[in-house]
Amino acid sequence: MPRRTLDLLLSWTGLVVAVVLLVAGGLLLWGSSFVETQVRDQLAEQRIFFPPAESPAVQGPEFADVREYGGEQLLTGPQAEAYANDFIGVHLEDVADGRTYAEVSGEALADPGNEQLQEQAQTLFRGNALRGLLLNAYAFWTVSQIAFAAALVSLIGGAVLVVLSAFGFLHARSTRRAERPLELQRMEAAERRAA
């Protein structure tokens, strides 16, 4: 295969792959922005604020991550994770001596007259529901961050391939000038033989 043909084949392939990467990068960037905006908007509507760092509710060492966001409104995935695990989760452990909602609700159903069990079951249910929703927000936020990183890789890869394809086309063009047509080579060989 002539060098020029190889250059053109590789350059066109690189250009097609570059277009695919650039389109994918753009879509990933849009997806990342969409998910991040949705998570932020949904969290903002809930109007959840971290307790102030000096609040007695967050003074133990297990609340260090919560104190980091002291007084701020919960708007991001990392904040949702900290609030869910390090604030709600820690407080839920104290509700029924570390027992889960599934354990307490079974007991509450078996003993409907026990008000303490009924209250514990309700508190655990509500706390776990909010905790689960916040952890879902954190998961989607994480997906948006992964999509953003993938978008950057795709866009950079696409740009590099565009540049390499351009060099390939330039090389193919210069190779064409350097290569002499086969007919001209035959005529020169015939002249040498005749001489």
Side-chain angles (χ1 to χ4, degrees):
M1 176 183 299
R3 177 58 195 233
R4 180 175 183 275
T5 304
L6 181 63
D7 285 347
L8 288 174
L9 180 64
L10 291 174
S11 297
W12 279 111
T13 302
L15 200 55
V16 168
V17 173
V19 168
V20 169
L21 285 174
L22 292 172
V23 169
L27 291 172
L28 285 165
L29 202 56
W30 171 77
S32 170
S33 175
F34 174 79
V35 171
E36 188 174 324
T37 300
Q38 287 296 309
V39 169
R40 183 179 295 276
D41 290 349
Q42 293 298 316
L43 290 174
E45 286 179 14
Q46 299 306 311
R47 297 186 194 120
I48 299 171
F49 287 85
F50 284 88
E54 63 277 355
S55 169
V58 292
Q59 287 313 303
E62 66 274 18
F63 296 109
D65 290 339
V66 176
R67 283 194 302 274
E68 176 185 333
Y69 299 112
E72 294 180 20
Q73 185 175 7
L74 194 155
L75 297 172
T76 68
Q79 288 176 325
E81 180 193 28
Y83 197 90
N85 288 335
D86 302 326
F87 185 67
I88 295 173
V90 170
H91 283 296
L92 287 177
E93 289 175 9
D94 295 336
V95 171
D97 300 321
R99 292 180 298 159
T100 66
Y101 167 72
E103 295 168 330
V104 173
S105 68
E107 293 175 21
L109 288 172
D111 187 3
N114 187 331
E115 288 184 26
Q116 182 182 10
L117 278 176
Q118 300 302 320
E119 288 176 21
Q120 287 175 344
Q122 283 300 312
T123 300
L124 287 170
F125 177 78
R126 290 176 184 149
N128 281 318
L130 178 55
R131 186 169 177 259
L133 292 171
L134 290 173
L135 289 174
N136 277 329
Y138 169 66
F140 276 101
W141 181 275
T142 301
V143 169
S144 80
Q145 300 308 300
I146 293 168
F148 182 76
L152 290 180
V153 169
S154 289
L155 292 172
I156 291 169
V160 167
L161 278 175
V162 166
V163 170
L164 291 175
S165 294
F167 282 131
F169 286 124
L170 289 173
H171 189 264
R173 187 174 178 190
S174 67
T175 302
R176 186 166 106 195
R177 288 182 186 154
E179 289 179 352
R180 292 177 302 184
L182 185 58
E183 194 60 39
L184 181 59
Q185 291 175 16
R186 286 183 185 155
M187 286 181 6
E188 289 174 352
E191 287 176 7
R192 280 194 300 268
R193 273 184 259 138

